[in-house]
């Protein structure tokens, strides 16, 4: 995530970019643009402003204290642990604030997420989802293009990196009109109906793909060869850019896991969607250009449009609150302290626990031929690593072995299969594939980290060290490579070289607390 925007004049540059983008549409569609700015998508990413919530949050699990304070027209965050502290200027606010929002900071040309989030409904700070049990929380979570693409207008990601971005990170900061309507060039030349993409009049699959690009996370998403998360354009089918995989339900189990970005999946499970053919979609109830002033009566009116007749005897009358009964808010397994609307529109919503993590995956929409097995194999391996499921990893490896000859220089295939084989105690074959990935010239820091792990499995500490040094050269702010390299030297009993690694990380990321604390323990003075 050259860096977010230039260090000086950042607010001005981002504001100009946003205004420039909006003016293209605003000249003819002023009311629509003004209404859109008040929606969640119109507030998905913003420059910090004066008057935002401030306060102190202490993370008991790690003994870390976070303080959020105003600074001129912006915001700063301070992190304190072990007698040390560091202060960060916030570059961007991410999240609409309907449920929560968080902060992004930069280090060099890389973007990182704050460990704490403000939960709007509770009116207080808490740990960001997934960081609740972190023993040493800090600004180390990389902001990947997969994450940022659903919050920023046109993030300028540096290809092949985890979280590096060119100057002018997002132009405009929030999701732009182009995200749903596509490039405006033709429409600006020929301002007439039909000269720009309109989801409401498109085919069902193209229409739904516009919403799915951000509102269908699934269990995992796998890019097609040569595609990025910025490759999708309105008017295409989402599966032309990437595959979304859901859990394959087991007999008698609930069909889905409720999660933050599963609106499309939930809606497809509703009787409303299943009984309407392809007519019922997100836009049936939601106006993407205008936030409802009072959501419950607004959406209840949408229900009445279809259900004005046929309500059972004793049912609450028309115009009552349909939403609280049939679309209750509930916690998801990945939402931290926030609750979200359940889009399954159940007749009698039942409180039931989510099923366990899936043991097998299935595609949301199929892709043709050998590509289907490639994507499914990668998904099984990546999700198996996430869950610690060797069965999923084994299944994915078998699927990729079947298609390897069709993708001999596909870095994603070579990386996933090579890693799976190393984990499956076939390290020499895994190492061969990972070295092939590196020889393509398209491997980046994470592939070199995987290569280092394979070489360590075979006892090649010198080779692992060389791979990690290359990973650090490619992405010098990525903490994981330094940690692996420090462990290589620690396991070899070379405390002096381990100390040098922490010194290098402190030199590159001087405000991180953990390297300073480790160096203190080894007798080195903290950074000033």
């Amino acid at each position: 995530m050259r860096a977010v925007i230039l260090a000086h004049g950042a607010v001005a540059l981002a504001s100009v970019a946003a205004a420039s983008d909006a003016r293209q549409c605003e000249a003819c569609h002023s009311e629509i643009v003004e209404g859109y700015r008040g929606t969640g998508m119109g507030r998905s990413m913003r420059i910090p402003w004066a008057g935002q919530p401030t306060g102190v949050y202490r993370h008991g699990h790690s003994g870390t204290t976070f303080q959020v304070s105003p600074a001129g027209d912006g915001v700063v965050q301070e992190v304190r642990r072990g007698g040390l502290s560091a202060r960060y200027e916030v570059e961007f606010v991410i999240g609409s604030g309907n449920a929560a929002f968080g902060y992004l900071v930069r280090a060099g040309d890389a973007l990182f997420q704050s460990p704490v989030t403000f939960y709007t409904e509770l009116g207080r700070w808490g740990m960001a989802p997934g960081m609740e049990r972190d023993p040493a929380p800090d600004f180390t979570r990389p902001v990947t293009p997969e994450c940022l693409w659903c919050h920023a207008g046109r993030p300028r990601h540096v290809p092949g990196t985890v979280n590096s971005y060119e100057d002018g990170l997002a132009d405009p900061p929030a999701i732009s009109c182009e995200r749903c309507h596509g490039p405006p060039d033709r429409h600006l030349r020929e301002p007439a109906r039909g000269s720009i993409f309109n989801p409401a009049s498109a085919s069902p699959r193209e229409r739904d793909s516009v919403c799915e690009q951000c509102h269908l996370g699934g269990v995992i998403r796998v890019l097609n060869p040569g595609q990025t998360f910025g490759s999708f354009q309105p008017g295409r089918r989402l599966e032309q850019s990437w595959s979304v995989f859901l859990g394959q339900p087991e007999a008698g189990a609930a069909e889905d896991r409720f999660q933050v970005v599963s609106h499309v999946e939930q809606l497809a499970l509703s009787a409303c969607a299943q009984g309407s053919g392809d007519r019922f979609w997100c836009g049936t109830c939601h106006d993407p250009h205008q936030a409802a002033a009072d959501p419950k009566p607004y959406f209840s009116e949408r229900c009445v449009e279809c259900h004005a007749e046929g309500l059972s005897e004793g049912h609450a009358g028309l115009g009552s609150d349909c939403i609280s009964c049939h679309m209750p808010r509930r916690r998801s397994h990945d939402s931290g302290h926030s609750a979200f609307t359940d889009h399954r529109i159940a007749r009698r919503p039942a409180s039931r626990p989510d099923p366990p993590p899936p043991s097998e995956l299935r595609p949301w929409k199929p892709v043709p031929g050998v590509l289907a097995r490639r994507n499914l194999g990668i998904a099984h391996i990546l999700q198996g690593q996430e869950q610690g499921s060797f069965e999923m990893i084994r299944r994915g490896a078998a699927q990729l072995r079947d298609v390897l000859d069709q993708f001999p220089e596909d870095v994603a295939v070579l990386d996933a299969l090579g890693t799976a084989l190393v984990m499956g105690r076939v390290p020499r074959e895994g190492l061969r594939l990972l070295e092939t990935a590196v020889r393509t010239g398209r491997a980046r820091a994470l592939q070199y980290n995987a290569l280092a792990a394979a070489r360590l499995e075979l006892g090649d500490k010198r080779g692992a060290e060389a791979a990690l040094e290359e990973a650090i050269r490619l992405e010098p702010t990525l903490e994981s490579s330094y940690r692996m390299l420090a462990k290589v030297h620690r396991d070899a009993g070379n405390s002096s070289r381990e100390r040098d690694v922490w010194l290098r990380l402190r030199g590159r990321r001087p405000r991180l607390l953990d390297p300073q604390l480790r160096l203190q323990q080894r007798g080195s003075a903290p950074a000033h």
Side-chain angles (χ1 to χ4, degrees):
M1 304 182 148
R2 269 162 289 254
V4 179
I5 27 190
L6 298 176
H8 301 289
V11 172
L13 282 175
S15 299
V16 168
S20 174
D21 180 84
R23 275 198 294 269
Q24 292 184 105
C25 305
E26 196 167 17
C28 298
H29 305 285
S30 58
E31 289 187 14
I32 291 175
V33 170
E34 185 60 30
Y36 178 74
R37 288 187 176 123
T39 67
M41 291 186 292
R43 306 192 314 275
S44 59
M45 190 164 170
R46 293 163 285 172
I47 302 296
W49 66 93
Q52 287 185 258
T54 59
V56 176
Y57 175 74
R58 179 173 174 78
H59 182 223
H61 183 72
S62 65
T64 306
T65 298
F66 297 92
Q67 182 164 350
V68 183
S69 307
D73 292 332
V75 176
V76 295
Q77 276 195 306
E78 186 176 4
V79 54
R80 299 190 291 270
R81 184 171 62 251
L84 297 177
S85 66
R87 183 180 172 94
Y88 291 83
E89 293 183 8
V90 172
E91 290 280 354
F92 287 102
V93 180
I94 190 165
S96 68
N98 289 341
F101 66 81
Y103 291 142
L104 306 184
V105 304
R106 65 184 176 94
D109 61 356
L111 194 66
F112 295 88
Q113 180 186 350
S114 166
V116 294
T117 292
F118 187 80
Y119 292 95
T120 308
E121 292 177 333
L122 300 177
R124 64 176 175 81
W125 295 94
M127 296 305 291
M131 300 187 79
E132 296 87 350
R133 307 294 293 176
D134 193 324
D138 211 331
F139 292 81
T140 55
R141 177 183 279 181
V143 180
T144 65
E146 180 178 4
C147 166
L148 196 62
W149 194 255
C150 286
H151 287 275
R154 291 184 292 273
R156 297 179 177 132
H157 178 242
V158 177
T161 67
V162 175
N163 64 326
S164 294
Y165 297 84
E166 296 176 359
D167 289 340
L169 162 73
D171 176 17
I175 295 170
S176 65
C177 306
E178 291 184 25
R179 185 58 55 85
C180 299
H181 295 288
D185 302 10
R186 181 188 166 200
H187 189 64
L188 292 172
R189 294 192 308 268
E190 309 168 26
R193 291 182 183 275
S195 64
I196 196 166
F197 181 76
N198 180 3
S201 59
S203 72
R205 187 69 206 111
E206 292 174 351
R207 174 198 70 197
D208 293 344
S209 290
V210 169
C211 304
E212 290 172 4
Q213 62 178 311
C214 292
H215 293 278
L216 178 68
V219 173
I220 195 166
R221 297 188 283 186
V222 175
L223 288 166
N224 293 344
Q227 298 292 301
T228 69
F229 286 105
S231 297
F232 173 78
Q233 289 292 326
R236 302 179 76 212
R237 291 174 288 111
L238 192 69
E239 55 271 19
Q240 292 176 277
S241 296
W242 64 80
S243 293
V244 179
F245 291 94
L246 312 178
Q248 179 67 46
E250 298 180 3
E255 195 167 348
D256 70 318
R257 298 185 80 207
F258 188 77
Q259 61 190 56
V260 173
V261 187
S262 60
H263 314 88
V264 172
E265 181 184 349
Q266 296 163 36
L267 192 65
L269 295 171
S270 71
C272 298
Q274 293 176 0
S276 71
D278 291 322
R279 296 187 305 278
F280 190 80
W281 70 296
C282 305
T284 303
C285 300
H286 288 275
D287 180 355
H289 301 125
Q290 186 73 47
D294 194 347
K296 287 183 178 179
Y298 174 86
F299 289 112
S300 295
E301 289 177 12
R302 306 287 82 73
C303 300
V304 170
E305 289 175 4
C306 292
H307 299 282
E309 304 291 338
L311 293 177
S312 61
E313 185 177 350
H315 192 282
L318 295 179
S320 61
D321 179 9
C322 307
I323 304 306
S324 294
C325 288
H326 299 288
M327 300 180 71
R329 292 170 64 79
R330 55 182 287 212
R331 293 276 180 87
S332 70
H333 68 87
D334 60 344
S335 64
H337 300 293
S338 296
F340 294 85
T341 300
D342 189 339
H343 281 71
R344 285 177 287 202
I345 321 177
R347 176 175 292 181
R348 294 182 178 86
S351 177
R352 59 182 180 183
D354 277 340
S359 59
E360 190 171 354
L361 302 176
R362 59 189 169 93
W364 171 250
K365 299 295 179 184
V367 294
V370 70
L371 184 60
R373 199 156 180 83
R374 173 217 185 250
N375 289 2
L376 182 58
I378 293 173
H380 273 135
I381 291 171
L382 295 180
Q383 189 60 24
Q385 290 177 272
E386 177 73 19
Q387 293 178 197
S389 169
F390 287 102
E391 174 55 30
M392 289 187 82
I393 294 171
R394 183 202 62 75
R395 183 181 293 118
Q399 289 160 341
L400 288 188
R401 279 182 182 276
D402 288 346
V403 299
L404 181 59
D405 60 340
Q406 303 292 313
F407 301 96
E409 294 191 347
D410 186 323
V411 172
V413 171
L414 295 168
D415 185 15
L417 181 55
T419 300
L421 292 174
V422 171
M423 295 180 71
R425 300 293 186 264
V426 193
R428 293 192 182 280
E429 185 179 354
L431 177 61
R432 179 180 62 80
L433 294 175
L434 293 167
E435 288 177 335
T436 301
V438 167
R439 284 197 297 271
T440 66
R442 297 188 297 276
R444 303 300 296 177
L446 294 184
Q447 281 78 47
Y448 278 96
N449 283 358
L451 177 62
R455 287 176 172 170
L456 283 174
E457 186 70 21
L458 289 166
D460 182 7
K461 291 184 172 58
R462 183 171 296 181
E465 180 183 344
L468 291 168
E469 290 288 1
E470 180 63 12
I472 291 170
R473 185 190 71 80
L474 290 168
E475 294 201 60
T477 60
L478 200 62
E479 184 199 33
S480 59
S481 303
Y482 293 91
R483 286 192 176 277
M484 289 182 68
L485 184 57
K487 187 176 186 303
V488 169
H489 294 315
R490 183 166 64 252
D491 290 348
N494 195 328
S495 58
S496 175
R497 296 195 68 185
E498 179 194 357
R499 174 180 171 276
D500 287 344
V501 174
W502 294 117
L503 283 169
R504 289 165 60 191
L505 177 56
R506 189 182 71 178
R508 182 61 67 168
R509 300 282 314 274
R511 288 177 290 182
L512 289 180
L513 300 187
D514 196 47
Q516 297 184 59
L517 290 168
R518 288 176 181 270
L519 287 167
Q520 276 189 351
Q521 294 165 4
R522 289 158 178 76
S524 298
H528 296 286

